[in-house]
């Protein structure tokens, strides 16, 4: 408990694989694919949708309805924006 009362600054390294942006990108790709295949979303995917003000499901659903191709969406750009939105809420 004494460590809690005396916090210190230190550098930590987060691997690219563990970065929030990459995790969001993977979830977006998975959500897009599941919309096209009409499969249920996982709890983690639902949690992402609920944790941001950006209408992720609506964007991906409209995309799937017109294109039927989850790769047409710029997932990296959306992942960056959504990850920032999640962090700053």
């Amino acid at each position: 408990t004494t460590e809690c009362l005396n916090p210190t600054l230190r550098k930590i390294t987060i691997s690219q694989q563990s970065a929030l942006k990459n995790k969001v990108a993977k979830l977006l790709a998975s959500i897009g694919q599941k919309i096209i295949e009409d499969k249920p979303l996982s709890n983690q995917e639902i949690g992402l949708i609920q944790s941001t003000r950006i209408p992720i499901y609506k964007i991906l659903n409209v995309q799937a309805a017109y294109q039927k191709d989850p790769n047409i969406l710029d997932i990296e750009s959306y992942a960056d924006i959504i990850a920032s939105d999640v962090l700053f809420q």
Side-chain angles (χ1 to χ4, degrees), residues 7-61:
T8 58
L9 290 177
R10 63 182 176 148
K11 278 190 165 188
I12 60 167
T13 303
I14 298 172
S15 70
Q16 190 171 359
Q17 193 76 2
S18 298
L20 181 60
K21 179 182 172 184
N22 287 345
K23 289 182 178 188
V24 169
K26 287 178 185 176
L27 287 171
L28 288 176
S30 177
I31 292 168
Q33 192 61 45
K34 286 181 178 178
I35 289 171
I36 290 170
E37 296 172 358
D38 197 25
K39 291 184 176 178
L41 301 180
S42 70
N43 288 337
Q44 192 175 19
E45 293 161 342
I46 291 169
L48 175 65
I49 291 169
Q50 292 175 341
S51 66
T52 181
R53 297 169 292 189
I54 299 168
I56 299 169
Y57 192 82
K58 188 174 190 177
I59 292 168
L60 294 174
N61 204 3

